[in-house]
Amino acid sequence: MVSFRLSNKTASPSIKLLVDDPIVVNPGEAITLVCVTTGGEPAPSLTWVRSFGTLPEKTVLNGGTLTIPAITSEDAGTYSCIANNNVGNPAKKSTNIIVRALKKGRFWITPDPYHKDDNIQIGREVKISCQVEAVPSEELTFSWFKNGRPLRSSERMVITQTDPDVSPGTTNLDIIDLKFTDFGTYTCVASLKGGGISDISIDVNISSSTGKITFGHQRRRHNRTAVSSNWKT
C-alpha cells in the first residue's frame, strides 16, 4: 500500500557558501563560487548578483555555481548568492573576490633635483622614495638593488618599508652623507608575496655628470615592468 502525507509546513530559506572570504586570485585564473541550500520549504531558488554592476558577461551559471573563466581586475568585487522561496526574508551570503595587481610605480627624490634652490651635493643626505599601488596591499614587498646587487639596510644606507608621512605602498632608501662611491644605478623592485604577477622595477641612476633628469619609457624586461630615470648631480 502506498500512502501520501500532505503538509502545510513552510520554512524560510538558508544557504551557505563553499568558498573562502575573501578569495585572492591571480589574473587569468578561473574562479568558481559554490552556493548550496541548507534549508527552506518549498525549495528556494538561487541567484547570484554583484554588489556593483552586473555579472561579467563571461560568467557561467549552473544552479548555485558561478564560474568566471580568465578573471581580470575588472571582475573583482563582492559577489552574493541569494536564496528565495517567498517564505520569510530571502537568505544572502557574500564573498569578496580580490584580483592581484601591481600598478602605477613612481619615485621621487629628496631634496628635489628639479628645484633650483635645493641642490644635490656630496656630503648631503639623499632620500629615494618608491611608491607602488598593490592589490592586496598586505602582500606588497620591496627590494633594493645597487648596480644589480641586493642592498641591505646599514648605518649609511637606511631602508624603510613604510613611511607614515606618505601614502601606503612606499619604501625609502636614505643615503646618509652622499659620496662619489654611491654613484650608480639604484633599483626598487616591488612584488607580491602571492606571486603570479610581474614585478614593477624602478631604476634611478646617480652620476657625476652635469645635465638634466631624463625619464625612460615603461617597458617589459625579464618579466618585469621597469621605469627608468637618469639623475645627474
Side-chain angles (χ1 to χ4, degrees):
M1 181 179 67
V2 179
S3 62
F4 297 92
R5 184 173 61 181
L6 299 178
S7 174
N8 293 325
K9 182 179 179 182
T10 60
S12 58
S14 60
I15 55 175
K16 68 177 179 179
L17 297 183
L18 305 182
V19 294
D20 296 327
D21 183 31
I23 303 170
V24 183
V25 296
N26 295 325
E29 292 182 354
I31 183 73
T32 298
L33 309 180
V34 179
C35 176
V36 296
T37 57
T38 56
E41 185 66 37
S45 61
L46 299 177
T47 57
W48 280 95
V49 297
R50 191 179 179 187
S51 293
F52 298 99
T54 59
L55 295 175
E57 291 184 3
K58 58 192 171 185
T59 301
V60 178
L61 294 171
N62 183 13
T65 300
L66 178 150
T67 300
I68 305 174
I71 199 166
T72 67
S73 294
E74 289 73 23
D75 302 325
T78 301
Y79 289 73
S80 301
C81 176
I82 299 175
N84 189 16
N85 65 352
N86 296 319
V87 178
N89 294 321
K92 181 179 179 180
K93 295 287 185 180
S94 304
T95 187
N96 189 33
I97 298 178
I98 299 172
V99 182
R100 290 188 178 94
L102 284 174
K103 52 187 177 180
K104 295 185 180 179
R106 69 186 188 97
F107 81 93
W108 63 94
I109 301 167
T110 310
D112 187 352
Y114 286 115
H115 201 285
K116 293 181 179 179
D117 298 327
D118 206 2
N119 296 326
I120 304 295
Q121 297 176 356
I122 295 296
R124 291 191 63 177
E125 177 181 347
V126 175
K127 178 191 288 186
I128 305 173
S129 300
C130 170
Q131 186 180 64
V132 172
E133 291 186 16
V135 179
S137 58
E138 61 269 19
E139 288 191 4
L140 178 63
T141 61
F142 287 104
S143 303
W144 282 94
F145 299 82
K146 179 185 177 184
N147 297 329
R149 295 184 177 183
L151 272 180
R152 297 184 182 277
S153 194
S154 63
E155 290 184 0
R156 247 188 19 88
M157 291 197 176
V158 181
I159 298 173
T160 55
Q161 295 293 335
T162 57
D163 190 333
D165 297 327
V166 296
S167 301
T170 303
T171 181
N172 298 319
L173 172 63
D174 282 285
I175 304 175
I176 312 299
D177 185 18
L178 182 68
K179 301 180 184 297
F180 285 107
T181 54
D182 295 327
F183 292 164
T185 299
Y186 292 85
T187 305
C188 160
V189 178
S191 58
L192 291 178
K193 294 178 182 177
I197 302 295
S198 296
D199 298 340
I200 286 182
S201 174
I202 299 175
D203 297 330
V204 181
N205 184 52
I206 305 176
S207 70
S208 58
S209 303
T210 57
K212 297 181 179 179
I213 298 179
T214 58
F215 293 90
H217 61 280
Q218 197 169 48
R219 63 188 186 278
R220 289 283 173 182
R221 182 184 62 189
H222 302 302
N223 203 33
R224 283 181 181 167
T225 300
V227 180
S228 300
S229 172
N230 292 318
W231 168 30
K232 301 176 181 180
T233 63

